Amino acid sequence: MSRLERFQNLLDAIEACDWQDAEMVMSAVLEEARADTPLVPFGHIEDDAEFWAAMATYEELRAYFLACGKRLARRQLGRRGQIRLAQLLFADMPDEDRRAVIATRRSGGAGRQVIQPERHQAEGPRR
């Protein structure tokens, strides 16, 4: 059975349940999934990473991002790897914040200025 067929079967099963029962079961399953670390990848590692990231809480994402970032900073990423990482980090950042990060780095003040992102309340369930 393909992944799409399993997905459709799951949606059909959820739809067939009483909504309160489905909500209780899905909440329990999602909470349990969020409690663990990523499993060993069975397919493409990028797909598994994307799936895990979609299931993770903000705190889990933040913790893993910072830990991975520290490890990546010690590795020789090469010019292309550094550019790709910077593009990902800057992708959703406002121009003003991008300029502040670049100016801090050029002035040698890295680590002295910390830009705190605005925290927003969750806007409904993640998809």
Side-chain angles (χ1 to χ4, degrees), residues 20-61:
Q20 290 177 331
D21 294 338
E23 183 178 28
M24 183 175 59
V25 169
M26 289 185 296
S27 295
V29 168
L30 289 174
E31 190 58 38
E32 186 65 27
R34 288 185 178 128
D36 284 333
T37 58
L39 299 174
V40 176
F42 291 108
H44 296 285
I45 193 166
E46 289 85 3
D47 292 340
D48 289 341
E50 183 62 37
F51 175 78
W52 181 85
M55 300 297 291
T57 65
Y58 171 80
E59 290 78 17
E60 289 169 331
L61 287 172

Side-chain angles (χ1 to χ4, degrees), residues 9 22 36-37 42 45-47 51 57 63 65 67 76 78 85-86 88 91 93 105-106 118:
N9 286 345
D36 284 333
T37 58
F42 291 108
I45 193 166
E46 289 85 3
D47 292 340
F51 175 78
T57 65
F65 174 79
Q76 296 297 322
L85 185 59
L88 290 170
M93 191 180 285
R105 179 72 178 131
R106 284 185 182 156
E118 291 182 33

Side-chain angles (χ1 to χ4, degrees), residues 7 15 19 22 25 36 38 62 66 79 84 89-90 101 124:
F7 177 78
E15 190 175 284
W19 177 245
V25 169
D36 284 333
R62 183 181 175 281
L66 293 174
R79 185 170 186 268
R84 184 169 182 225
L89 290 172
F90 287 145
V101 170

